[in-house]
mmCIF file of all heavy atoms in Angstrom:
data_model
loop_
_atom_site.group_PDB
_atom_site.id
_atom_site.type_symbol
_atom_site.label_atom_id
_atom_site.label_comp_id
_atom_site.label_asym_id
_atom_site.label_seq_id
_atom_site.Cartn_x
_atom_site.Cartn_y
_atom_site.Cartn_z
ATOM 1 N N PHE C 862 -93.209 226.378 179.886
ATOM 2 C CA PHE C 862 -94.411 227.031 180.396
ATOM 3 C C PHE C 862 -95.570 226.903 179.417
ATOM 4 O O PHE C 862 -96.703 226.653 179.818
ATOM 5 C CB PHE C 862 -94.122 228.514 180.695
ATOM 6 C CG PHE C 862 -95.255 229.227 181.344
ATOM 7 C CD1 PHE C 862 -95.594 228.964 182.655
ATOM 8 C CD2 PHE C 862 -95.999 230.160 180.638
ATOM 9 C CE1 PHE C 862 -96.653 229.617 183.264
ATOM 10 C CE2 PHE C 862 -97.052 230.815 181.231
ATOM 11 C CZ PHE C 862 -97.380 230.549 182.551
ATOM 12 N N SER C 863 -95.296 227.056 178.124
ATOM 13 C CA SER C 863 -96.374 226.932 177.140
ATOM 14 C C SER C 863 -96.922 225.496 177.104
ATOM 15 O O SER C 863 -98.129 225.296 176.979
ATOM 16 C CB SER C 863 -95.898 227.362 175.753
ATOM 17 O OG SER C 863 -94.846 226.533 175.318
ATOM 18 N N ILE C 864 -96.074 224.508 177.233
ATOM 19 C CA ILE C 864 -96.537 223.116 177.283
ATOM 20 C C ILE C 864 -97.335 222.878 178.560
ATOM 21 O O ILE C 864 -98.398 222.236 178.539
ATOM 22 C CB ILE C 864 -95.332 222.151 177.183
ATOM 23 C CG1 ILE C 864 -94.712 222.241 175.799
ATOM 24 C CG2 ILE C 864 -95.754 220.720 177.497
ATOM 25 C CD1 ILE C 864 -93.392 221.519 175.661
ATOM 26 N N LEU C 865 -96.869 223.410 179.674
ATOM 27 C CA LEU C 865 -97.555 223.243 180.950
ATOM 28 C C LEU C 865 -98.942 223.881 180.934
ATOM 29 O O LEU C 865 -99.920 223.280 181.385
ATOM 30 C CB LEU C 865 -96.715 223.836 182.085
ATOM 31 C CG LEU C 865 -97.298 223.713 183.483
ATOM 32 C CD1 LEU C 865 -97.390 222.248 183.887
ATOM 33 C CD2 LEU C 865 -96.461 224.491 184.477
ATOM 34 N N ILE C 866 -99.050 225.058 180.382
ATOM 35 C CA ILE C 866 -100.359 225.731 180.289
ATOM 36 C C ILE C 866 -101.303 224.926 179.393
ATOM 37 O O ILE C 866 -102.486 224.772 179.702
ATOM 38 C CB ILE C 866 -100.194 227.180 179.761
ATOM 39 C CG1 ILE C 866 -99.500 228.031 180.814
ATOM 40 C CG2 ILE C 866 -101.511 227.789 179.364
ATOM 41 C CD1 ILE C 866 -100.290 228.217 182.085
ATOM 42 N N GLY C 867 -100.798 224.384 178.299
ATOM 43 C CA GLY C 867 -101.626 223.542 177.431
ATOM 44 C C GLY C 867 -102.150 222.319 178.153
ATOM 45 O O GLY C 867 -103.318 221.945 178.012
ATOM 46 N N LEU C 868 -101.307 221.686 178.956
ATOM 47 C CA LEU C 868 -101.732 220.522 179.730
ATOM 48 C C LEU C 868 -102.766 220.895 180.790
ATOM 49 O O LEU C 868 -103.702 220.140 181.050
ATOM 50 C CB LEU C 868 -100.526 219.842 180.378
ATOM 51 C CG LEU C 868 -99.599 219.090 179.432
ATOM 52 C CD1 LEU C 868 -98.368 218.577 180.173
ATOM 53 C CD2 LEU C 868 -100.329 217.944 178.773
ATOM 54 N N ILE C 869 -102.605 222.048 181.404
ATOM 55 C CA ILE C 869 -103.574 222.490 182.419
ATOM 56 C C ILE C 869 -104.936 222.717 181.779
ATOM 57 O O ILE C 869 -105.965 222.280 182.313
ATOM 58 C CB ILE C 869 -103.064 223.760 183.137
ATOM 59 C CG1 ILE C 869 -101.902 223.386 184.061
ATOM 60 C CG2 ILE C 869 -104.190 224.435 183.928
ATOM 61 C CD1 ILE C 869 -101.183 224.567 184.666
ATOM 62 N N PHE C 870 -104.983 223.369 180.628
ATOM 63 C CA PHE C 870 -106.263 223.605 179.956
ATOM 64 C C PHE C 870 -106.887 222.294 179.459
ATOM 65 O O PHE C 870 -108.107 222.128 179.491
ATOM 66 C CB PHE C 870 -106.121 224.605 178.811
ATOM 67 C CG PHE C 870 -106.055 226.024 179.298
ATOM 68 C CD1 PHE C 870 -104.934 226.794 179.090
ATOM 69 C CD2 PHE C 870 -107.126 226.580 179.975
ATOM 70 C CE1 PHE C 870 -104.869 228.110 179.541
ATOM 71 C CE2 PHE C 870 -107.084 227.891 180.427
ATOM 72 C CZ PHE C 870 -105.945 228.650 180.212
ATOM 73 N N ALA C 871 -106.067 221.363 179.022
ATOM 74 C CA ALA C 871 -106.596 220.045 178.614
ATOM 75 C C ALA C 871 -107.186 219.319 179.823
ATOM 76 O O ALA C 871 -108.239 218.684 179.717
ATOM 77 C CB ALA C 871 -105.493 219.207 177.969
ATOM 78 N N PHE C 872 -106.559 219.429 180.976
ATOM 79 C CA PHE C 872 -107.084 218.815 182.198
ATOM 80 C C PHE C 872 -108.411 219.466 182.605
ATOM 81 O O PHE C 872 -109.345 218.767 183.007
ATOM 82 C CB PHE C 872 -106.055 218.944 183.331
ATOM 83 C CG PHE C 872 -106.512 218.340 184.618
ATOM 84 C CD1 PHE C 872 -106.608 216.965 184.776
ATOM 85 C CD2 PHE C 872 -106.868 219.159 185.684
ATOM 86 C CE1 PHE C 872 -107.033 216.411 185.957
ATOM 87 C CE2 PHE C 872 -107.298 218.606 186.869
ATOM 88 C CZ PHE C 872 -107.383 217.232 187.021
ATOM 89 N N ILE C 873 -108.512 220.768 182.482
ATOM 90 C CA ILE C 873 -109.768 221.467 182.790
ATOM 91 C C ILE C 873 -110.873 220.988 181.852
ATOM 92 O O ILE C 873 -112.007 220.742 182.276
ATOM 93 C CB ILE C 873 -109.573 222.991 182.720
ATOM 94 C CG1 ILE C 873 -108.695 223.466 183.877
ATOM 95 C CG2 ILE C 873 -110.916 223.726 182.727
ATOM 96 C CD1 ILE C 873 -108.254 224.913 183.783
ATOM 97 N N GLU C 874 -110.568 220.849 180.581
ATOM 98 C CA GLU C 874 -111.558 220.368 179.605
ATOM 99 C C GLU C 874 -112.011 218.945 179.937
ATOM 100 O O GLU C 874 -113.191 218.613 179.828
ATOM 101 C CB GLU C 874 -110.957 220.423 178.201
ATOM 102 C CG GLU C 874 -111.944 220.284 177.101
ATOM 103 C CD GLU C 874 -112.734 221.548 176.835
ATOM 104 O OE1 GLU C 874 -112.344 222.624 177.302
ATOM 105 O OE2 GLU C 874 -113.753 221.441 176.139
ATOM 106 N N LEU C 875 -111.081 218.108 180.355
ATOM 107 C CA LEU C 875 -111.413 216.744 180.754
ATOM 108 C C LEU C 875 -112.324 216.741 181.984
ATOM 109 O O LEU C 875 -113.291 215.982 182.055
ATOM 110 C CB LEU C 875 -110.131 215.952 181.030
ATOM 111 C CG LEU C 875 -110.301 214.492 181.407
ATOM 112 C CD1 LEU C 875 -110.861 213.709 180.227
ATOM 113 C CD2 LEU C 875 -108.980 213.913 181.852
ATOM 114 N N CYS C 876 -112.040 217.608 182.945
ATOM 115 C CA CYS C 876 -112.894 217.723 184.129
ATOM 116 C C CYS C 876 -114.298 218.180 183.743
ATOM 117 O O CYS C 876 -115.295 217.691 184.287
ATOM 118 C CB CYS C 876 -112.285 218.688 185.141
ATOM 119 S SG CYS C 876 -110.792 218.052 185.933
ATOM 120 N N LEU C 877 -114.416 219.105 182.808
ATOM 121 C CA LEU C 877 -115.735 219.550 182.338
ATOM 122 C C LEU C 877 -116.492 218.417 181.663
ATOM 123 O O LEU C 877 -117.716 218.306 181.810
ATOM 124 C CB LEU C 877 -115.590 220.731 181.373
ATOM 125 C CG LEU C 877 -115.265 222.074 182.003
ATOM 126 C CD1 LEU C 877 -114.989 223.113 180.917
ATOM 127 C CD2 LEU C 877 -116.380 222.531 182.903
ATOM 128 N N ALA C 878 -115.789 217.577 180.924
ATOM 129 C CA ALA C 878 -116.448 216.439 180.270
ATOM 130 C C ALA C 878 -116.982 215.456 181.315
ATOM 131 O O ALA C 878 -118.107 214.967 181.189
ATOM 132 C CB ALA C 878 -115.478 215.741 179.320
ATOM 133 N N PHE C 879 -116.200 215.174 182.357
ATOM 134 C CA PHE C 879 -116.678 214.277 183.414
ATOM 135 C C PHE C 879 -117.837 214.903 184.180
ATOM 136 O O PHE C 879 -118.784 214.216 184.555
ATOM 137 C CB PHE C 879 -115.545 213.902 184.367
ATOM 138 C CG PHE C 879 -114.702 212.774 183.866
ATOM 139 C CD1 PHE C 879 -113.391 212.992 183.493
ATOM 140 C CD2 PHE C 879 -115.222 211.494 183.752
ATOM 141 C CE1 PHE C 879 -112.604 211.952 183.027
ATOM 142 C CE2 PHE C 879 -114.453 210.446 183.282
ATOM 143 C CZ PHE C 879 -113.138 210.676 182.918
ATOM 144 N N TYR C 880 -117.772 216.201 184.414
ATOM 145 C CA TYR C 880 -118.887 216.887 185.075
ATOM 146 C C TYR C 880 -120.148 216.782 184.214
ATOM 147 O O TYR C 880 -121.240 216.517 184.724
ATOM 148 C CB TYR C 880 -118.549 218.355 185.325
ATOM 149 C CG TYR C 880 -119.745 219.143 185.769
ATOM 150 C CD1 TYR C 880 -120.189 219.071 187.081
ATOM 151 C CD2 TYR C 880 -120.449 219.928 184.873
ATOM 152 C CE1 TYR C 880 -121.306 219.766 187.489
ATOM 153 C CE2 TYR C 880 -121.570 220.629 185.275
ATOM 154 C CZ TYR C 880 -121.988 220.551 186.585
ATOM 155 O OH TYR C 880 -123.099 221.235 186.972
ATOM 156 N N SER C 881 -120.007 216.973 182.920
ATOM 157 C CA SER C 881 -121.151 216.887 182.010
ATOM 158 C C SER C 881 -121.752 215.493 182.013
ATOM 159 O O SER C 881 -122.972 215.343 181.959
ATOM 160 C CB SER C 881 -120.734 217.276 180.593
ATOM 161 O OG SER C 881 -120.296 218.609 180.565
ATOM 162 N N PHE C 882 -120.909 214.468 182.077
ATOM 163 C CA PHE C 882 -121.434 213.105 182.154
ATOM 164 C C PHE C 882 -122.254 212.912 183.423
ATOM 165 O O PHE C 882 -123.330 212.313 183.401
ATOM 166 C CB PHE C 882 -120.311 212.069 182.085
ATOM 167 C CG PHE C 882 -120.817 210.666 182.246
ATOM 168 C CD1 PHE C 882 -121.513 210.057 181.218
ATOM 169 C CD2 PHE C 882 -120.627 209.979 183.428
ATOM 170 C CE1 PHE C 882 -122.007 208.767 181.356
ATOM 171 C CE2 PHE C 882 -121.116 208.697 183.585
ATOM 172 C CZ PHE C 882 -121.809 208.094 182.543
ATOM 173 N N GLY C 883 -121.760 213.417 184.532
ATOM 174 C CA GLY C 883 -122.522 213.342 185.784
ATOM 175 C C GLY C 883 -123.834 214.094 185.686
ATOM 176 O O GLY C 883 -124.872 213.642 186.202
ATOM 177 N N MET C 884 -123.812 215.243 185.007
ATOM 178 C CA MET C 884 -125.016 216.048 184.842
ATOM 179 C C MET C 884 -126.072 215.300 184.023
ATOM 180 O O MET C 884 -127.236 215.248 184.415
ATOM 181 C CB MET C 884 -124.676 217.364 184.135
ATOM 182 C CG MET C 884 -125.880 218.223 183.832
ATOM 183 S SD MET C 884 -125.562 219.534 182.650
ATOM 184 C CE MET C 884 -125.270 218.622 181.164
ATOM 185 N N ILE C 885 -125.681 214.680 182.923
ATOM 186 C CA ILE C 885 -126.685 213.997 182.106
ATOM 187 C C ILE C 885 -127.140 212.695 182.747
ATOM 188 O O ILE C 885 -128.276 212.278 182.571
ATOM 189 C CB ILE C 885 -126.208 213.763 180.661
ATOM 190 C CG1 ILE C 885 -125.028 212.824 180.612
ATOM 191 C CG2 ILE C 885 -125.898 215.053 179.960
ATOM 192 C CD1 ILE C 885 -124.948 212.071 179.328
ATOM 193 N N SER C 886 -126.268 212.054 183.522
ATOM 194 C CA SER C 886 -126.687 210.856 184.246
ATOM 195 C C SER C 886 -127.765 211.202 185.264
ATOM 196 O O SER C 886 -128.773 210.503 185.390
ATOM 197 C CB SER C 886 -125.500 210.213 184.963
ATOM 198 O OG SER C 886 -124.569 209.734 184.045
ATOM 199 N N GLU C 887 -127.563 212.277 185.994
ATOM 200 C CA GLU C 887 -128.561 212.716 186.969
ATOM 201 C C GLU C 887 -129.843 213.160 186.275
ATOM 202 O O GLU C 887 -130.946 212.906 186.763
ATOM 203 C CB GLU C 887 -127.999 213.849 187.831
ATOM 204 C CG GLU C 887 -128.930 214.330 188.908
ATOM 205 C CD GLU C 887 -129.300 213.255 189.923
ATOM 206 O OE1 GLU C 887 -128.537 212.298 190.108
ATOM 207 O OE2 GLU C 887 -130.377 213.389 190.528
ATOM 208 N N SER C 888 -129.733 213.794 185.115
ATOM 209 C CA SER C 888 -130.924 214.202 184.357
ATOM 210 C C SER C 888 -131.748 212.991 183.932
ATOM 211 O O SER C 888 -132.980 213.019 184.018
ATOM 212 C CB SER C 888 -130.513 215.000 183.113
ATOM 213 O OG SER C 888 -129.876 216.194 183.475
ATOM 214 N N ALA C 889 -131.103 211.935 183.472
ATOM 215 C CA ALA C 889 -131.823 210.729 183.066
ATOM 216 C C ALA C 889 -132.517 210.089 184.264
ATOM 217 O O ALA C 889 -133.679 209.666 184.172
ATOM 218 C CB ALA C 889 -130.861 209.734 182.410
ATOM 219 N N ARG C 890 -131.831 210.025 185.399
ATOM 220 C CA ARG C 890 -132.450 209.450 186.600
ATOM 221 C C ARG C 890 -133.643 210.285 187.060
ATOM 222 O O ARG C 890 -134.690 209.747 187.424
ATOM 223 C CB ARG C 890 -131.418 209.340 187.729
ATOM 224 C CG ARG C 890 -130.486 208.168 187.583
ATOM 225 C CD ARG C 890 -129.652 207.958 188.834
ATOM 226 N NE ARG C 890 -128.756 209.069 189.104
ATOM 227 C CZ ARG C 890 -127.527 209.171 188.630
ATOM 228 N NH1 ARG C 890 -127.045 208.221 187.868
ATOM 229 N NH2 ARG C 890 -126.775 210.202 188.930
ATOM 230 N N GLU C 891 -133.501 211.602 187.053
ATOM 231 C CA GLU C 891 -134.608 212.471 187.465
ATOM 232 C C GLU C 891 -135.802 212.315 186.533
ATOM 233 O O GLU C 891 -136.950 212.320 186.972
ATOM 234 C CB GLU C 891 -134.162 213.933 187.497
ATOM 235 C CG GLU C 891 -133.276 214.284 188.666
ATOM 236 C CD GLU C 891 -133.990 214.203 189.997
ATOM 237 O OE1 GLU C 891 -135.178 214.580 190.078
ATOM 238 O OE2 GLU C 891 -133.362 213.746 190.962
ATOM 239 N N GLY C 892 -135.547 212.178 185.234
ATOM 240 C CA GLY C 892 -136.633 211.990 184.273
ATOM 241 C C GLY C 892 -137.376 210.685 184.489
ATOM 242 O O GLY C 892 -138.612 210.641 184.444
ATOM 243 N N SER C 893 -136.647 209.615 184.740
ATOM 244 C CA SER C 893 -137.322 208.329 184.963
ATOM 245 C C SER C 893 -138.058 208.325 186.299
ATOM 246 O O SER C 893 -139.145 207.749 186.409
ATOM 247 C CB SER C 893 -136.338 207.167 184.864
ATOM 248 O OG SER C 893 -135.313 207.291 185.818
ATOM 249 N N ARG C 894 -137.523 209.009 187.312
ATOM 250 C CA ARG C 894 -138.246 209.126 188.587
ATOM 251 C C ARG C 894 -139.536 209.927 188.408
ATOM 252 O O ARG C 894 -140.571 209.593 188.983
ATOM 253 C CB ARG C 894 -137.368 209.823 189.631
ATOM 254 C CG ARG C 894 -136.306 208.971 190.194
ATOM 255 C CD ARG C 894 -135.567 209.703 191.321
ATOM 256 N NE ARG C 894 -134.286 209.077 191.525
ATOM 257 C CZ ARG C 894 -133.121 209.701 191.467
ATOM 258 N NH1 ARG C 894 -133.067 210.987 191.223
ATOM 259 N NH2 ARG C 894 -132.005 209.060 191.660
ATOM 260 N N TYR C 895 -139.447 210.993 187.629
ATOM 261 C CA TYR C 895 -140.608 211.840 187.367
ATOM 262 C C TYR C 895 -141.713 211.030 186.677
ATOM 263 O O TYR C 895 -142.886 211.134 187.017
ATOM 264 C CB TYR C 895 -140.179 213.029 186.507
ATOM 265 C CG TYR C 895 -141.267 214.022 186.190
ATOM 266 C CD1 TYR C 895 -141.695 214.929 187.140
ATOM 267 C CD2 TYR C 895 -141.848 214.061 184.925
ATOM 268 C CE1 TYR C 895 -142.681 215.859 186.845
ATOM 269 C CE2 TYR C 895 -142.835 214.975 184.625
ATOM 270 C CZ TYR C 895 -143.247 215.876 185.590
ATOM 271 O OH TYR C 895 -144.225 216.789 185.303
ATOM 272 N N ALA C 896 -141.333 210.204 185.714
ATOM 273 C CA ALA C 896 -142.316 209.425 184.957
ATOM 274 C C ALA C 896 -142.841 208.232 185.754
ATOM 275 O O ALA C 896 -144.005 207.852 185.602
ATOM 276 C CB ALA C 896 -141.703 208.941 183.651
ATOM 277 N N MET C 897 -142.034 207.647 186.610
ATOM 278 C CA MET C 897 -142.468 206.437 187.315
ATOM 279 C C MET C 897 -143.567 206.698 188.335
ATOM 280 O O MET C 897 -144.355 205.815 188.645
ATOM 281 C CB MET C 897 -141.298 205.728 187.991
ATOM 282 C CG MET C 897 -140.760 206.428 189.224
ATOM 283 S SD MET C 897 -139.417 205.533 189.990
ATOM 284 C CE MET C 897 -140.306 204.747 191.310
ATOM 285 N N VAL C 898 -143.650 207.906 188.852
ATOM 286 C CA VAL C 898 -144.707 208.215 189.822
ATOM 287 C C VAL C 898 -145.896 208.911 189.173
ATOM 288 O O VAL C 898 -146.825 209.309 189.853
ATOM 289 C CB VAL C 898 -144.170 209.069 190.998
ATOM 290 C CG1 VAL C 898 -143.127 208.308 191.780
ATOM 291 C CG2 VAL C 898 -143.626 210.391 190.510
ATOM 292 N N ARG C 899 -145.869 209.054 187.858
ATOM 293 C CA ARG C 899 -146.957 209.701 187.133
ATOM 294 C C ARG C 899 -147.464 208.796 186.013
ATOM 295 O O ARG C 899 -147.605 209.209 184.880
ATOM 296 C CB ARG C 899 -146.502 211.043 186.592
ATOM 297 C CG ARG C 899 -146.281 212.059 187.703
ATOM 298 C CD ARG C 899 -145.599 213.312 187.198
ATOM 299 N NE ARG C 899 -145.464 214.300 188.251
ATOM 300 C CZ ARG C 899 -144.514 214.293 189.182
ATOM 301 N NH1 ARG C 899 -143.611 213.340 189.198
ATOM 302 N NH2 ARG C 899 -144.463 215.220 190.108
ATOM 303 N N GLY C 900 -147.732 207.543 186.363
ATOM 304 C CA GLY C 900 -148.227 206.565 185.404
ATOM 305 C C GLY C 900 -149.710 206.736 185.152
ATOM 306 O O GLY C 900 -150.327 207.740 185.513
ATOM 307 N N SER C 901 -150.332 205.708 184.565
ATOM 308 C CA SER C 901 -151.735 205.811 184.125
ATOM 309 C C SER C 901 -152.731 205.893 185.275
ATOM 310 O O SER C 901 -153.860 206.326 185.079
ATOM 311 C CB SER C 901 -152.083 204.615 183.232
ATOM 312 O OG SER C 901 -151.975 203.408 183.968
ATOM 313 N N THR C 902 -152.343 205.505 186.494
ATOM 314 C CA THR C 902 -153.281 205.556 187.630
ATOM 315 C C THR C 902 -152.958 206.686 188.599
ATOM 316 O O THR C 902 -153.484 206.712 189.711
ATOM 317 C CB THR C 902 -153.252 204.226 188.402
ATOM 318 O OG1 THR C 902 -151.929 204.005 188.895
ATOM 319 C CG2 THR C 902 -153.688 203.068 187.517
#
Side-chain angles (χ1 to χ4, degrees):
F862 186 71
S863 62
I864 292 170
L865 181 65
I866 291 295
L868 288 174
I869 288 171
F870 282 117
F872 180 71
I873 290 171
E874 194 78 15
L875 182 66
C876 290
L877 285 173
F879 277 112
Y880 170 79
S881 298
F882 177 73
M884 176 195 68
I885 65 152
S886 295
E887 183 61 25
S888 296
R890 282 190 296 271
E891 286 293 322
S893 60
R894 284 185 200 124
Y895 182 76
M897 73 179 260
V898 297
R899 290 170 177 81
S901 63
T902 60

